[in-house]
Amino acid sequence: MKILAIDTSNFVLGIALYEDGKVIGEYITNLKKNHSIRAMPAIEQLMKECEIKPKDLTKIVVAKGPGSYTGVRIGVTIAKTLAWTLNIPLVGVSSLEVLAASAGRYFDGYVSPLFDARRGQIYTGLYQITKNDVEIIKNDQLILSKDWVQQLAPLKQCVLFVGNDLPLHEETLKDGLGDFAYLADAVDFNPRPSILAMLGESKPEEAIHTFTPNYIRLAEAEANWLKANKKEKKEDRG
């Protein structure tokens, strides 16, 4: 089974080719650049260097969010288009699960991957990673980092925090959890697309046409539009 994995859910652009437990090729950058311009050329270049043609692929795996609204949408759109065009299965994996599994495979405790969501909020979840399994302890959610600490403190368990946005919330996490808070090294901040492929290898396929990203919350623009529209309707009714 030849898998193409795609992650554009945050600043990190990750592409991987994976076959039967072997990473054939992997491409990762962490740049504030437009994924809509760079993703397809990166896919084409990696497949060319690995001498894999589109017809050789047997599954597409994509990071389905949460994360950047635009970034998640770009990756999912590319993945759906490729899966439909090539008539092969499509699998979606939580972007947070990918990050947790990328950093926590050798950590004896819980893992809390996080992405900044502004205004003191984070996208996060709580996972436990073993050699052969990823266990979800707390589901992915949008929460204030100070409230997340309050949820974790009663567990009295060591928690590894990881993500490129970790420095923004480091003080809150350390103050709230003390010695139970472990901070990953910067070299582990980027989610690995090869891990994404590995996680998606055994997950059930999605229905391509109805598959949607997991934004967790509405994009700010959409939320503002709904709020304004609701206000207009209320005024129209007098």
Side-chain angles (χ1 to χ4, degrees):
M1 177 180 289
K2 285 188 174 66
I3 296 173
L4 170 65
I6 304 166
D7 187 353
T8 63
S9 53
N10 288 281
F11 286 135
V12 174
L13 169 61
I15 310 294
L17 290 165
Y18 182 89
E19 181 180 17
D20 300 328
K22 177 182 179 182
V23 180
I24 304 172
E26 189 171 31
Y27 175 89
I28 305 172
T29 62
N30 181 21
L31 304 169
K32 294 182 180 180
K33 291 187 176 182
N34 194 332
H35 292 326
S36 65
I37 297 173
R38 302 174 58 240
M40 278 307 301
I43 292 171
E44 292 171 0
Q45 183 61 34
L46 183 62
M47 292 183 64
K48 180 180 179 181
E49 290 189 7
C50 295
E51 298 182 343
I52 293 177
K53 300 183 182 302
K55 64 180 180 63
D56 298 329
L57 297 174
T58 54
K59 180 181 283 189
I60 306 293
V61 179
V62 65
K64 64 179 182 181
S68 159
Y69 179 85
T70 302
V72 172
R73 184 173 56 188
I74 289 168
V76 168
T77 299
I78 291 173
K80 290 177 67 171
T81 301
L82 289 173
W84 180 78
T85 303
L86 299 172
N87 193 28
I88 57 177
L90 170 67
V91 172
V93 179
S94 162
S95 302
L96 288 167
E97 181 180 346
V98 177
L99 180 55
S102 297
R105 287 170 295 151
Y106 304 108
F107 182 75
D108 186 19
Y110 293 153
V111 183
S112 176
L114 64 86
F115 307 134
D116 182 61
R118 297 186 294 182
R119 302 183 182 92
Q121 300 176 105
I122 54 175
Y123 295 114
T124 190
L126 194 65
Y127 295 82
Q128 187 160 37
I129 315 299
T130 62
K131 184 177 181 181
N132 300 312
D133 190 33
V134 176
E135 182 183 356
I136 300 173
I137 306 301
K138 289 182 178 289
N139 290 329
D140 294 351
Q141 57 192 280
L142 173 66
I143 189 171
L144 289 167
S145 56
K146 63 182 181 63
D147 291 342
W148 184 236
V149 165
Q150 291 179 3
Q151 285 195 27
L152 298 181
L155 300 177
K156 300 294 184 182
Q157 294 286 334
C158 295
V159 180
L160 175 68
F161 294 95
V162 61
N164 282 302
D165 298 324
L166 177 57
L168 299 175
H169 302 274
E170 178 178 337
E171 185 176 348
T172 300
L173 300 172
K174 291 176 70 175
D175 287 348
L177 294 176
D179 291 340
F180 288 111
Y182 287 76
L183 308 180
D185 294 329
V187 293
D188 293 319
F189 284 180
N190 293 338
R192 296 288 301 271
S194 55
I195 297 293
L196 169 61
M198 182 185 71
L199 293 173
E201 185 176 25
S202 59
K203 289 184 182 292
E205 66 179 279
E206 310 269 2
I208 295 175
H209 295 297
T210 57
F211 175 72
T212 56
N214 179 21
Y215 297 122
I216 291 186
R217 69 173 178 184
L218 295 174
E220 186 172 7
E222 186 177 359
N224 289 339
W225 181 87
L226 289 172
K227 183 178 179 181
N229 192 50
K230 184 178 180 180
K231 182 178 179 181
E232 288 178 6
K233 287 183 178 180
K234 185 176 181 180
E235 291 174 349
D236 289 343
R237 291 195 300 266

